[in-house]
Structure formats: C-alpha cells, structure tokens
Amino acid sequence: SAVISQKPSRDICQRGTSLTIQCQVDSQVTMMFWYRQQPGQSLTLIATANQGSEATYESGFVIDKFPISRPNLTFSTLTVSNMSPEDSSIYLCSNRRSSNMNTEAFFGQGTRLTVV
Amino acid sequence: AQSVAQPEDQVNVAEGNPLTVKCTYSVSGNPYLFWYVQYPNRGLQFLLKYITGDNLVKGSYGFEAEFNKSQTSFHLKKPSALVSDSALYFCAVTPSGNTPLVFGKGTRLSVIA
C-alpha cells in the first residue's frame, strides 16, 4: 500500500490569508487528487493533479482559489487562497498507483482547516 | 456521470448482530467499486474493492460486500458487529482505473454494546 503524508494535520487561520497543504507519497504515482470534506458531508473532488501539466479542476473550483502544484511524481501542494469561514473543511489528498490502475485509492490523513 | 447513493445516514446495530450498510451506484460501463471507513480525526482507510471476478468480496476487519449488477448495488456486510466498528463508512465508484473516485454521502454506523 502507498503511504501518504499530509501536513499540516490541522490549522486555524484568519480570513483573507492563504494556507498551503503538502502531500508526500512514498512512491511514484501518476495521478494525485485533492478532495474537500465539509463538516458532516461527503468527499468532493476539487482537482486532479498530474505531473508536468496543469491541474484539472472540477465544476465549482477554480485555480485562483485553489492553486495546485505537482513538481514531481511523489509530491503535490494545494493552496487555499483568500480564505473565508466557508472554506473550513477537511482537505484530503489521494492517489492511485501508476503501475496498476486496478488498485484502490490511498488517502492522506487529511488537513482540518478552520477559518476564523 | 457516475454517482453513488447511500440511502441511510445512520445505521444502529447491537454488538454481535449482523450489519449491512447499503450502497447503490450509477456508472457507464463496468464499475470499480470501493468501501472506505473514516474514524474520528483520521483519514480514509480502504476496506475492500470490486473490480472483476467473484461478486462477493472480502476485505479488512471481517467486512465483505456483494456486487449485484442487476440491482446496481454493493452493500457492505459483516456477520457480527463490534463496538469498534462504529465509524463513518463511504461507498465509492469510478468507471475506470485511472479516474478519481466518486463518493457517496456516507453512513454513520453505531454499534451498541
């Protein structure tokens, strides 16, 4: 199984500021995904991050608000920009292995963000 | 577009009794189906998956799920529930091996001693 390290695990931020979340995978993966889980809700896909190209965003999410970097096959960052209380959520990164597309997705432990 | 329905927000079961958490899906083509569990302040942990083969799949912690193509269902089951099984359970689907998972809204399982 892949090990995904995500940090910070939690943060409390002032509105109007930005937070960058880091996701490190212990092996090379083709695709990484960023999800948001709002309080009491399911996981919603924010974007797919491929190495060497711009991230692909889902409807309702834009690059200016959630810029993503994917500098190599083991690392990605998600920035939550100009935060408001509505951005308070758990943010999770996920991946599927490049060597076997039939595998399950693995998840980091999540970043619990509170915007005050 | 694919979707997952988990019709129950909450399932309560007595310890030692069998449990079922329901999931139905909609996807074009053959589905890749998954169950995950989330404990408080933890990330998602993989339980089991159906890709192809036997309709009954066995996973971690004694859980199993049955793929039913005609009913487009993938219900999670366990013969004897434990208090430690209390958590939030998510069903997920994807239409292929290189696309992100789409999740249901989750079902909170409460096992009562």
Side-chain angles (χ1 to χ4, degrees), chain B residues 36-80:
Chain B
Y36 287 82
V37 60
Q38 187 178 38
Y39 296 99
N41 300 315
R42 303 276 292 275
L44 268 68
Q45 297 180 29
F46 168 76
L47 279 179
L48 51 80
K49 65 182 177 183
Y50 173 82
I51 305 297
T52 186
D54 290 341
N55 290 343
L56 183 65
V57 293
K58 295 185 182 297
S60 306
Y61 313 120
F63 284 93
E64 59 187 31
E66 185 165 14
F67 170 62
N68 187 317
K69 188 173 184 178
S70 64
Q71 298 185 3
T72 62
S73 68
F74 190 57
H75 301 330
L76 181 70
K77 300 182 179 183
K78 187 173 182 180
S80 178

Side-chain angles (χ1 to χ4, degrees), chain A residues 31 35 37 42 96 101-102 105, chain B residues 36 38 96-99 101 104:
Chain A
M31 309 183 78
Y35 288 86
Q37 185 180 19
S42 184
R96 298 186 80 179
M101 291 302 184
N102 288 336
Chain B
Y36 287 82
Q38 187 178 38
S96 71
N98 61 355
T99 50
L101 274 58

Side-chain angles (χ1 to χ4, degrees), chain A residues 95-109:
Chain A
N95 80 280
R96 298 186 80 179
R97 280 192 178 279
S98 58
S99 60
N100 182 353
M101 291 302 184
N102 288 336
T103 61
E104 60 274 22
F106 298 97
F107 286 84
Q109 76 274 24

